[in-house]
C-alpha cells in the first residue's frame, strides 16, 4: 500500500508542474505575490487539484481502492499539503474554498450588507457603490454598464452578482456585495470571446479565463453585447457569428520558437512575462505574444 501512496504523490506533483508549465494553471509567482486575488487563486487551485486527481486516476490503477481503504484524510490531505506548499497558499484557505464552493455568498459578511425594511438587499445602494468603485479605478467614462454575473471560469462555482461595464479598451466588472472587488479584461489581453452554456467566456492570452452572464434582463444585455462586438471589432476581433469573436491573426502572430530551450529556461521566461504583465500563450515550444509587446519581449529574452 505504501508504494501506491508514493506513486499517487509523485503523479500528483508531476501534474501540478506539468499543468503549470503548460499554462493551464497560474504561475506560482503570480499567486505568491498576491497579483492574483486570493479568492480567485483558491478557485484556480481547486480546479488544479481536481485536474491532478483525474490524472492520478489514469496513472495509478490502485488509487480508488487506496482511497476507499485508507480514507481521504490519509490519501487526499497530503496532496493538498503539496498543493499548498507549491503555491504558497495556506491549506486552510484551500479547504475553505471547497467548503464555500456551493455557497459563494457565505464568503461575504451578511451583516455588513445594506438591506431594505423587507430584509432584501438594498441593490440601489449597492449598485451606487459599485459605480463609485468603477470611478475610483478610472472607469468613470464607461460606454455602458449592466447588471450581471462574473466569476472565474470554474463550472463548480456559482456566479457572483456584479456590475459589468464596457469601455473602448475592454470589459470591467465590480462585485455587488461588500467588499466590492474591481477587475478588468482588456481587449489586448484576450484571444477569444464566445458563448458557452448560456454564459459568455473570456479567454485570455495566458492561462486565465473568465465568464460573465446577464441577470435575465434581455434588452440591456443585448445592447451590451452589440457594443461588445463593435468595440472589440475595432481593436482586432473577428466575429464569425454572433457568438464567437477571435482576435485576428494579424494582431497576435509574433511567434518565438524555443525548441532548443530547456523546460527550465521556458519556465523562467514565463515567470518574467508574468511579472511584466505581458499576455502570452505557449503552443508546445512556440511562444506567442501580441505584436504590441514584441520590443518588451525581445528585451526580456536578450537580457542576461
Amino acid at each position: 500500500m505504501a508504494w501506491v501512496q508514493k506513486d499517487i504523490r509523485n503523479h500528483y506533483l508531476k501534474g501540478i508542474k506539468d499543468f503549470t508549465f503548460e499554462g493551464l494553471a497560474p504561475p506560482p509567482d503570480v499567486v505568491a505575490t498576491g497579483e492574483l486575488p486570493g479568492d480567485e487563486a483558491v478557485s484556480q487551485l481547486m480546479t488544479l487539484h481536481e485536474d491532478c486527481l483525474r490524472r492520478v486516476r489514469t496513472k495509478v490503477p490502485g488509487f480508488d481502492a487506496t482511497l476507499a481503504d485508507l480514507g481521504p484524510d490519509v490519501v487526499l490531505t497530503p496532496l493538498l499539503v503539496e498543493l499548498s506548499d507549491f503555491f504558497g497558499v495556506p491549506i486552510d484557505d484551500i479547504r475553505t474554498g471547497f467548503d464555500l464552493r456551493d455557497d459563494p455568498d457565505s464568503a461575504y459578511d451578511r451583516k455588513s450588507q445594506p438591506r431594505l425594511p423587507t430584509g432584501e438587499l438594498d441593490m440601489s445602494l449597492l449598485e451606487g457603490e459599485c459605480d463609485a468603485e468603477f470611478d475610483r479605478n478610472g472607469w468613470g467614462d464607461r460606454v455602458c454598464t449592466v447588471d450581471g454575473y462574473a466569476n472565474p471560469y470554474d463550472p463548480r462555482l456559482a456566479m457572483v452578482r456584479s456590475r459589468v461595464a464596457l469601455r473602448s479598451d475592454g470589459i470591467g466588472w465590480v462585485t455587488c456585495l461588500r467588499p466590492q472587488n474591481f477587475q478588468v479584461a482588456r481587449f489586448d489581453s484576450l484571444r477569444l470571446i464566445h458563448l458557452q452554456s448560456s454564459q459568455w467566456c473570456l479567454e485570455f492570452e495566458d492561462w486565465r479565463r473568465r465568464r460573465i452572464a446577464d441577470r435575465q434582463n434581455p434588452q440591456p444585455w443585448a445592447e451590451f453585447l452589440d457594443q461588445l462586438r463593435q468595440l472589440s471589432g475595432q481593436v482586432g476581433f473577428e466575429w464569425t457569428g454572433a457568438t464567437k469573436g477571435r482576435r485576428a491573426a494579424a494582431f497576435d502572430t509574433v511567434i518565438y520558437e524555443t525548441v532548443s530551450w530547456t523546460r527550465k529556461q521556458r519556465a523562467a521566461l514565463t515567470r518574467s512575462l508574468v511579472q511584466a504583465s505581458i499576455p502570452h500563450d505557449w503552443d508546445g515550444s512556440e511562444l506567442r505574444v501580441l505584436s504590441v509587446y514584441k520590443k518588451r519581449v525581445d528585451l526580456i529574452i536578450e537580457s542576461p
Side-chain angles (χ1 to χ4, degrees):
M1 191 66 69
W3 70 267
V4 175
Q5 289 178 263
K6 183 177 180 180
D7 217 16
I8 289 171
R9 176 184 178 276
N10 289 341
H11 281 293
Y12 183 87
L13 275 174
K14 191 172 189 306
I16 290 177
K17 294 174 182 178
D18 286 351
F19 285 131
T20 302
F21 176 75
E22 292 166 8
L24 301 176
D29 290 350
V30 173
V31 176
T33 60
E35 179 181 339
L36 186 66
D39 58 345
E40 187 164 344
V42 169
S43 172
Q44 295 286 342
L45 298 192
M46 289 162 61
T47 299
L48 178 59
H49 173 69
E50 296 197 344
D51 287 344
C52 289
L53 289 185
R54 281 193 289 271
R55 177 191 178 110
V56 169
R57 278 191 170 90
T58 64
K59 300 291 184 180
V60 184
F63 173 75
D64 287 319
T66 302
L67 180 59
D69 186 38
L70 300 180
D73 287 344
V74 174
V75 178
L76 300 184
T77 296
L79 301 182
L80 285 178
V81 171
E82 297 287 358
L83 183 68
S84 169
D85 291 344
F86 188 83
F87 286 94
V89 174
I91 190 170
D92 286 346
D93 290 356
I94 301 174
R95 290 183 184 277
T96 299
F98 280 107
D99 291 341
L100 297 177
R101 181 168 61 186
D102 299 321
D103 186 15
D105 287 351
S106 63
Y108 296 90
D109 181 1
R110 287 182 168 85
K111 294 181 181 179
S112 70
Q113 309 304 325
R115 296 187 179 274
L116 300 171
T118 60
E120 296 176 310
L121 290 171
D122 187 343
M123 291 310 302
S124 294
L125 180 56
L126 287 172
E127 288 172 6
E129 292 177 358
C130 288
D131 291 342
E133 188 68 11
F134 276 123
D135 295 344
R136 191 178 70 81
N137 284 277
W139 271 59
D141 57 343
R142 304 181 297 280
V143 174
C144 65
T145 306
V146 296
D147 293 325
Y149 294 99
N151 225 52
Y153 189 85
D154 186 336
R156 301 163 306 174
L157 297 178
M159 301 293 276
V160 177
R161 189 166 182 175
S162 306
R163 294 274 281 168
V164 187
L166 274 177
R167 285 196 333 181
S168 59
D169 58 341
I171 308 165
W173 55 90
V174 174
T175 53
C176 287
L177 296 183
R178 297 172 178 173
Q180 283 85 12
N181 176 28
F182 170 80
Q183 295 187 52
V184 64
R186 303 190 185 282
F187 289 131
D188 64 6
S189 68
L190 293 171
R191 63 182 178 84
L192 182 64
I193 304 170
H194 63 108
L195 183 66
Q196 185 178 57
S197 301
S198 301
Q199 298 166 6
W200 285 89
C201 304
L202 311 177
E203 299 197 12
F204 291 75
E205 288 289 342
D206 55 19
W207 50 270
R208 294 171 296 159
R209 290 191 293 172
R210 173 68 54 172
R211 56 183 180 148
I212 58 176
D214 69 333
R215 279 191 52 80
Q216 299 178 340
N217 295 316
Q219 188 56 40
W221 190 254
E223 294 172 359
F224 174 88
L225 294 176
D226 285 343
Q227 289 281 357
L228 172 61
R229 296 183 189 98
Q230 178 181 337
L231 293 173
S232 62
Q234 292 172 359
V235 293
F237 276 78
E238 295 178 340
W239 288 82
T240 54
T243 60
K244 180 178 287 189
R246 185 182 298 276
R247 192 167 180 83
F251 289 83
D252 62 355
T253 53
V254 179
I255 298 176
Y256 295 85
E257 179 54 69
T258 65
V259 66
S260 62
W261 291 32
T262 65
R263 293 182 62 177
K264 188 174 181 180
Q265 288 174 316
R266 294 192 191 103
L269 176 56
T270 297
R271 288 194 294 271
S272 296
L273 295 173
V274 170
Q275 290 169 357
S277 298
I278 296 176
H280 60 281
D281 179 48
W282 285 98
D283 183 5
S285 63
E286 290 185 351
L287 170 68
R288 301 180 181 183
V289 298
L290 301 178
S291 58
V292 68
Y293 295 107
K294 183 179 186 303
K295 290 183 179 179
R296 292 176 60 190
V297 175
D298 288 345
L299 289 174
I300 291 174
I301 291 177
E302 293 167 5
S303 64

